[in-house]
Coordinates of all heavy atoms in Angstrom, one line a residue:
F1 N 124.8 216.8 142.4 CA 123.4 216.5 142.1 C 122.5 217.4 142.8 O 121.3 217.4 142.6 CB 123.0 215.1 142.4 CG 124.0 214.2 143.0 CD1 124.2 214.1 144.3 CD2 124.9 213.5 142.2 CE1 125.1 213.3 144.9 CE2 125.8 212.6 142.7 CZ 125.9 212.5 144.1
F2 N 122.9 218.3 143.7 CA 122.0 219.1 144.5 C 121.8 220.5 143.8 O 120.9 221.2 144.2 CB 122.5 219.3 145.9 CG 122.5 218.0 146.7 CD1 123.7 217.4 147.0 CD2 121.3 217.4 147.0 CE1 123.7 216.2 147.8 CE2 121.3 216.2 147.7 CZ 122.5 215.6 148.1
C3 N 122.7 220.9 142.9 CA 122.6 222.2 142.3 C 121.9 222.1 140.9 O 122.1 221.1 140.2 CB 124.0 222.8 142.1 SG 124.8 223.2 143.7
T4 N 121.2 223.1 140.6 CA 120.5 223.2 139.3 C 121.0 224.4 138.6 O 121.8 225.2 139.1 CB 119.0 223.3 139.5 OG1 118.7 224.5 140.1 CG2 118.5 222.1 140.3
E5 N 120.5 224.6 137.4 CA 120.9 225.8 136.6 C 120.5 227.1 137.4 O 121.2 228.1 137.3 CB 120.3 225.8 135.2 CG 121.0 224.9 134.3 CD 120.4 225.0 132.9 OE1 120.1 226.1 132.5 OE2 120.4 223.9 132.2
A6 N 119.4 227.0 138.1 CA 119.0 228.2 138.9 C 120.0 228.6 140.0 O 119.9 229.7 140.5 CB 117.6 227.9 139.5
D7 N 120.9 227.7 140.4 CA 121.8 227.9 141.4 C 123.1 228.5 140.9 O 124.0 228.9 141.7 CB 122.2 226.7 142.2 CG 120.9 226.1 142.9 OD1 120.2 226.9 143.5 OD2 120.7 224.9 142.8
V8 N 123.3 228.7 139.6 CA 124.5 229.2 139.0 C 124.7 230.6 139.6 O 123.8 231.5 139.5 CB 124.5 229.2 137.5 CG1 125.7 229.9 136.9 CG2 124.4 227.8 137.0
G9 N 125.9 230.9 140.1 CA 126.3 232.2 140.6 C 126.0 232.3 142.1 O 126.5 233.3 142.8
N10 N 125.4 231.3 142.7 CA 125.1 231.3 144.1 C 126.1 230.5 144.9 O 126.8 229.6 144.3 CB 123.7 230.7 144.4 CG 122.6 231.6 143.8 OD1 122.7 232.8 143.7 ND2 121.5 230.9 143.5
N11 N 126.3 230.7 146.2 CA 127.1 229.9 147.0 C 126.6 228.5 147.0 O 125.5 228.2 147.2 CB 127.1 230.5 148.4 CG 128.0 229.8 149.4 OD1 127.6 228.7 149.8 ND2 129.1 230.3 149.7
R12 N 127.6 227.5 146.8 CA 127.2 226.1 146.8 C 126.5 225.6 148.1 O 125.6 224.9 148.0 CB 128.3 225.3 146.4 CG 128.6 225.3 144.9 CD 129.7 224.3 144.6 NE 131.0 224.9 144.5 CZ 132.1 224.3 144.3 NH1 132.1 223.0 144.1 NH2 133.2 224.9 144.2
V13 N 127.1 226.1 149.2 CA 126.5 225.6 150.4 C 125.1 226.1 150.6 O 124.2 225.4 151.0 CB 127.4 226.1 151.6 CG1 126.7 225.7 152.9 CG2 128.8 225.5 151.5
D14 N 124.9 227.4 150.3 CA 123.5 228.0 150.4 C 122.6 227.3 149.5 O 121.4 227.1 149.8 CB 123.6 229.5 150.2 CG 124.4 230.2 151.3 OD1 124.4 229.7 152.4 OD2 124.9 231.3 151.0
S15 N 123.0 226.9 148.3 CA 122.2 226.3 147.3 C 121.8 224.9 147.7 O 120.7 224.4 147.3 CB 122.9 226.3 145.9 OG 123.0 227.6 145.5
C16 N 122.7 224.2 148.4 CA 122.5 222.7 148.6 C 121.9 222.4 150.0 O 121.4 221.4 150.3 CB 123.8 222.0 148.5 SG 124.5 222.0 146.8
L17 N 122.1 223.3 151.0 CA 121.8 223.0 152.4 C 120.4 222.5 152.6 O 120.2 221.5 153.2 CB 122.0 224.3 153.2 CG 122.0 224.1 154.7 CD1 123.1 223.1 155.2 CD2 122.1 225.4 155.4
H18 N 119.4 223.2 152.1 CA 118.0 222.7 152.3 C 117.7 221.4 151.6 O 117.0 220.5 152.1 CB 117.0 223.8 151.9 CG 116.9 223.9 150.4 ND1 117.7 224.7 149.7 CD2 116.0 223.4 149.5 CE1 117.4 224.7 148.4 NE2 116.3 223.9 148.3
K19 N 118.4 221.1 150.5 CA 118.2 219.8 149.8 C 118.9 218.7 150.6 O 118.3 217.6 150.6 CB 118.8 219.9 148.4 CG 118.1 220.9 147.5 CD 118.8 221.1 146.2 CE 118.2 222.3 145.5 NZ 118.9 222.7 144.3
I20 N 120.0 219.0 151.2 CA 120.7 217.9 152.0 C 119.8 217.7 153.3 O 119.7 216.5 153.7 CB 122.1 218.4 152.4 CG1 122.9 218.4 151.1 CG2 122.7 217.5 153.4 CD1 124.3 219.0 151.3
K21 N 119.3 218.7 153.9 CA 118.4 218.5 155.1 C 117.2 217.6 154.8 O 116.8 216.9 155.6 CB 117.9 219.9 155.6 CG 119.0 220.6 156.3 CD 118.4 222.0 156.8 CE 119.5 222.8 157.6 NZ 118.9 224.0 158.1
E22 N 116.7 217.7 153.5 CA 115.5 216.9 153.2 C 115.8 215.4 153.1 O 114.9 214.6 153.1 CB 115.0 217.4 151.8 CG 114.3 218.8 151.9 CD 113.9 219.3 150.6 OE1 114.1 218.6 149.5 OE2 113.2 220.3 150.5
L23 N 117.1 215.0 153.0 CA 117.4 213.6 152.8 C 117.0 212.8 154.1 O 116.6 211.6 153.9 CB 118.9 213.4 152.6 CG 119.5 214.0 151.3 CD1 121.0 213.9 151.2 CD2 118.9 213.2 150.1
N24 N 117.2 213.4 155.2 CA 116.8 212.7 156.5 C 116.5 213.7 157.5 O 117.4 214.4 158.0 CB 118.0 211.7 156.9 CG 117.6 210.9 158.1 OD1 116.7 211.2 158.8 ND2 118.3 209.7 158.2
H25 N 115.3 213.8 157.9 CA 114.8 214.8 158.9 C 115.3 214.5 160.3 O 115.2 215.4 161.2 CB 113.3 214.9 158.9 CG 112.8 215.5 157.6 ND1 112.9 216.8 157.2 CD2 112.2 214.8 156.5 CE1 112.4 216.9 156.0 NE2 112.0 215.8 155.6
Y26 N 115.9 213.3 160.5 CA 116.4 213.0 161.9 C 117.8 213.3 162.0 O 118.4 213.2 163.1 CB 116.2 211.5 162.1 CG 114.7 211.1 162.1 CD1 114.2 210.4 161.1 CD2 113.9 211.4 163.2 CE1 112.8 210.1 161.1 CE2 112.6 211.0 163.3 CZ 112.0 210.4 162.2 OH 110.7 210.0 162.2
V27 N 118.5 213.8 161.0 CA 119.9 214.2 161.0 C 120.0 215.7 161.1 O 119.4 216.4 160.3 CB 120.6 213.6 159.8 CG1 122.1 214.1 159.8 CG2 120.6 212.1 159.8
K28 N 120.8 216.2 162.0 CA 121.0 217.6 162.1 C 122.0 218.0 161.1 O 123.2 217.5 161.0 CB 121.6 217.9 163.5 CG 121.8 219.4 163.8 CD 122.3 219.6 165.2 CE 122.7 221.0 165.4 NZ 123.3 221.2 166.7
V29 N 121.7 219.0 160.3 CA 122.5 219.5 159.2 C 122.6 221.0 159.4 O 121.6 221.7 159.6 CB 122.0 219.2 157.8 CG1 122.9 219.8 156.7 CG2 121.8 217.7 157.6
E30 N 123.8 221.5 159.5 CA 124.0 222.9 159.6 C 125.2 223.5 158.9 O 126.1 222.7 158.6 CB 124.1 223.3 161.1 CG 125.3 222.7 161.8 CD 125.4 223.0 163.3 OE1 124.3 223.3 163.9 OE2 126.4 222.8 163.9
K31 N 125.1 224.7 158.5 CA 126.3 225.4 157.9 C 127.1 226.0 159.0 O 126.7 226.7 159.9 CB 125.7 226.5 157.0 CG 126.8 227.4 156.3 CD 126.1 228.5 155.5 CE 127.2 229.4 154.9 NZ 126.5 230.4 154.1
A32 N 128.4 225.7 158.9 CA 129.4 226.2 159.9 C 130.5 226.8 159.2 O 131.1 226.3 158.2 CB 129.9 225.0 160.7
G33 N 130.9 228.0 159.6 CA 132.0 228.7 159.1 C 133.3 227.9 159.4 O 133.4 227.4 160.5
L34 N 134.2 227.8 158.6 CA 135.4 227.1 158.8 C 136.6 228.0 159.0 O 136.9 228.8 158.2 CB 135.7 226.1 157.6 CG 136.9 225.2 157.8 CD1 136.7 224.3 159.0 CD2 137.0 224.3 156.5
D35 N 137.2 227.8 160.2 CA 138.4 228.6 160.5 C 139.6 227.6 160.4 O 139.7 226.7 161.3 CB 138.3 229.2 161.9 CG 139.6 229.9 162.4 OD1 140.5 230.1 161.5 OD2 139.6 230.4 163.5
M36 N 140.4 227.7 159.4 CA 141.4 226.7 159.1 C 142.5 226.8 160.2 O 143.4 225.9 160.3 CB 142.0 226.9 157.7 CG 141.1 226.6 156.6 SD 140.5 224.9 156.7 CE 141.9 223.9 156.4
T37 N 142.5 227.8 161.0 CA 143.6 227.9 162.1 C 143.1 227.2 163.3 O 144.0 226.9 164.2 CB 143.9 229.4 162.4 OG1 142.7 230.0 162.9 CG2 144.4 230.1 161.2
D38 N 141.8 226.8 163.5 CA 141.4 226.1 164.6 C 140.3 225.1 164.2 O 139.1 225.3 164.3 CB 140.8 227.1 165.6 CG 140.3 226.4 166.9 OD1 140.8 225.2 167.2 OD2 139.5 227.0 167.7
L39 N 140.8 223.9 163.7 CA 139.9 222.9 163.3 C 139.3 222.1 164.4 O 138.4 221.3 164.2 CB 140.7 221.9 162.3 CG 141.2 222.6 161.0 CD1 142.0 221.6 160.2 CD2 140.0 223.1 160.2
T40 N 139.7 222.3 165.7 CA 139.1 221.6 166.8 C 137.6 221.8 166.9 O 136.9 221.0 167.6 CB 139.8 221.9 168.1 OG1 139.7 223.3 168.4 CG2 141.3 221.6 168.1
K41 N 137.1 222.9 166.3 CA 135.7 223.1 166.4 C 134.9 222.1 165.6 O 133.7 221.9 165.8 CB 135.4 224.5 165.8 CG 136.0 225.7 166.6 CD 135.7 227.0 165.9 CE 136.4 228.1 166.7 NZ 136.3 229.4 166.0
L42 N 135.6 221.3 164.8 CA 134.9 220.2 164.0 C 134.8 218.9 164.8 O 134.2 218.0 164.3 CB 135.7 220.0 162.7 CG 135.8 221.2 161.8 CD1 136.7 220.8 160.6 CD2 134.4 221.6 161.3
K43 N 135.3 218.9 166.0 CA 135.4 217.6 166.7 C 134.0 217.0 167.0 O 133.9 215.8 167.2 CB 136.2 217.8 168.0 CG 135.5 218.6 169.1 CD 136.4 218.7 170.3 CE 135.9 219.5 171.4 NZ 134.8 220.3 171.4
D44 N 133.0 217.8 167.1 CA 131.7 217.3 167.4 C 130.9 216.9 166.2 O 129.7 216.5 166.3 CB 130.9 218.4 168.2 CG 131.5 218.7 169.5 OD1 132.1 217.8 170.2 OD2 131.4 219.9 170.0
Y45 N 131.5 217.0 165.0 CA 130.8 216.6 163.8 C 131.2 215.2 163.4 O 132.3 214.8 163.5 CB 131.1 217.6 162.7 CG 130.5 219.0 162.9 CD1 131.2 219.9 163.6 CD2 129.2 219.3 162.5 CE1 130.7 221.2 163.9 CE2 128.7 220.5 162.7 CZ 129.4 221.5 163.4 OH 128.9 222.7 163.7
T46 N 130.2 214.5 162.8 CA 130.5 213.1 162.3 C 130.9 213.2 160.8 O 131.7 212.5 160.3 CB 129.2 212.3 162.4 OG1 128.8 212.3 163.7 CG2 129.5 210.9 161.9
V47 N 130.3 214.1 160.1 CA 130.6 214.3 158.6 C 130.9 215.8 158.4 O 130.2 216.7 158.9 CB 129.4 213.9 157.8 CG1 129.6 214.1 156.3 CG2 129.1 212.4 158.0
V48 N 131.9 216.1 157.6 CA 132.2 217.4 157.2 C 132.2 217.5 155.7 O 132.9 216.7 155.0 CB 133.6 217.8 157.8 CG1 134.0 219.2 157.3 CG2 133.6 217.8 159.3
L49 N 131.5 218.4 155.1 CA 131.5 218.7 153.7 C 132.1 220.0 153.5 O 131.8 221.0 154.1 CB 130.1 218.7 153.1 CG 129.2 217.4 153.3 CD1 127.8 217.7 152.8 CD2 129.9 216.3 152.6
A50 N 133.1 220.1 152.6 CA 133.8 221.4 152.4 C 133.8 221.7 150.9 O 134.0 220.8 150.0 CB 135.2 221.3 152.9
T51 N 133.6 222.9 150.5 CA 133.7 223.3 149.1 C 134.7 224.5 149.0 O 134.9 225.3 150.0 CB 132.3 223.8 148.6 OG1 131.9 224.9 149.3 CG2 131.4 222.6 148.7
E52 N 135.2 224.7 147.9 CA 136.0 225.9 147.6 C 137.2 226.1 148.5 O 137.5 227.3 148.9 CB 135.1 227.1 147.5 CG 134.0 226.9 146.5 CD 132.9 228.1 146.5 OE1 133.2 229.1 147.0 OE2 131.8 227.8 146.1
L53 N 137.9 225.1 148.8 CA 139.1 225.2 149.6 C 140.3 225.0 148.7 O 140.3 224.2 147.8 CB 139.2 224.1 150.7 CG 138.2 224.2 151.9 CD1 138.4 223.0 152.8 CD2 138.3 225.4 152.6
S54 N 141.4 225.6 149.1 CA 142.6 225.4 148.3 C 143.1 224.0 148.6 O 142.7 223.3 149.5 CB 143.7 226.4 148.8 OG 144.1 226.1 150.1
Y55 N 144.0 223.5 147.7 CA 144.5 222.1 147.9 C 145.2 221.9 149.2 O 145.0 220.9 149.9 CB 145.4 221.8 146.7 CG 145.9 220.3 146.7 CD1 145.0 219.3 146.4 CD2 147.2 220.0 147.1 CE1 145.4 218.0 146.4 CE2 147.6 218.7 147.1 CZ 146.7 217.7 146.7 OH 147.1 216.4 146.8
S56 N 145.9 222.9 149.6 CA 146.6 222.7 150.9 C 145.7 222.7 152.1 O 145.8 221.9 153.0 CB 147.7 223.8 151.1 OG 147.1 225.1 151.1
D57 N 144.6 223.5 152.0 CA 143.6 223.5 153.1 C 142.8 222.2 153.0 O 142.4 221.6 154.1 CB 142.6 224.7 152.9 CG 143.2 226.0 153.4 OD1 144.3 225.9 154.1 OD2 142.7 227.0 153.2
Q58 N 142.6 221.6 151.8 CA 141.9 220.3 151.7 C 142.7 219.2 152.4 O 142.2 218.4 153.2 CB 141.7 219.9 150.3 CG 140.7 220.7 149.5 CD 140.6 220.3 148.1 OE1 140.7 219.2 147.7 NE2 140.5 221.3 147.2
N59 N 144.0 219.3 152.2 CA 144.9 218.3 152.9 C 144.9 218.5 154.4 O 144.9 217.5 155.1 CB 146.3 218.4 152.3 CG 146.5 217.8 150.9 OD1 145.8 216.8 150.7 ND2 147.3 218.3 150.1
K60 N 145.0 219.7 154.8 CA 145.0 220.0 156.3 C 143.7 219.5 156.9 O 143.7 218.8 158.0 CB 145.1 221.5 156.5 CG 145.2 221.9 157.9 CD 145.5 223.4 158.0 CE 145.6 223.8 159.5 NZ 145.8 225.3 159.6
L61 N 142.5 219.7 156.2 CA 141.2 219.3 156.7 C 141.2 217.8 156.7 O 140.7 217.1 157.7 CB 140.1 219.9 155.9 CG 138.7 219.5 156.3 CD1 138.4 220.0 157.7 CD2 137.7 220.1 155.3
D62 N 141.6 217.2 155.7 CA 141.7 215.7 155.6 C 142.5 215.1 156.7 O 142.1 214.1 157.4 CB 142.2 215.3 154.2 CG 142.3 213.8 154.1 OD1 141.3 213.1 154.1 OD2 143.4 213.3 154.0
S63 N 143.7 215.6 157.0 CA 144.5 215.1 158.0 C 143.9 215.2 159.4 O 143.9 214.3 160.2 CB 145.9 215.9 158.0 OG 146.6 215.6 156.9
Y64 N 143.2 216.3 159.6 CA 142.5 216.5 160.9 C 141.4 215.6 161.1 O 141.2 214.9 162.1 CB 142.0 218.0 161.1 CG 141.3 218.2 162.4 CD1 142.0 218.3 163.6 CD2 139.9 218.1 162.4 CE1 141.3 218.4 164.8 CE2 139.2 218.2 163.6 CZ 139.9 218.4 164.8 OH 139.3 218.5 166.0
C65 N 140.6 215.4 160.0 CA 139.4 214.6 160.1 C 139.7 213.1 160.3 O 138.9 212.3 160.9 CB 138.5 214.8 158.9 SG 137.7 216.4 159.0
R66 N 140.8 212.7 159.7 CA 141.2 211.3 159.8 C 141.7 211.0 161.2 O 141.6 209.9 161.8 CB 142.3 210.9 158.8 CG 141.7 210.9 157.4 CD 142.9 210.6 156.5 NE 142.4 210.6 155.1 CZ 142.2 209.5 154.4 NH1 142.5 208.3 154.9 NH2 141.7 209.6 153.2

């Protein structure tokens, strides 16, 4: 629901980031590069949104976050 026709061809994170930030100004929202070899960098996050990952990387991320 955050992307419009104007966002077609753009990176999904870049297209949605400002719209997600507008949901609650008291919540810190940032774009972070994801290094699948070192997921410990995610330990300080409460919520992780990921796009365009392979199925195996999705499973790896899911296992780490749980």
Side-chain angles (χ1 to χ4, degrees):
F1 5 88
F2 296 111
C3 293
T4 65
E5 285 186 34
D7 297 314
V8 173
N10 297 331
N11 179 285
R12 282 189 263 177
V13 174
D14 294 333
S15 295
C16 298
L17 189 61
H18 72 279
K19 296 171 190 171
I20 293 172
K21 286 181 178 183
E22 290 175 355
L23 292 173
N24 187 337
H25 296 282
Y26 296 104
V27 175
K28 181 180 175 185
V29 178
E30 62 186 17
K31 176 182 175 179
L34 183 60
D35 178 5
M36 293 303 294
T37 60
D38 184 16
L39 294 177
T40 60
K41 295 176 183 177
L42 299 176
K43 70 180 179 354
D44 296 327
Y45 292 90
T46 305
V47 176
V48 176
L49 303 174
T51 62
E52 302 173 22
L53 292 178
S54 68
Y55 185 72
S56 62
D57 284 347
Q58 290 176 40
N59 283 327
K60 184 176 179 181
L61 181 62
D62 178 64
S63 295
Y64 177 79
C65 289
R66 288 177 181 254

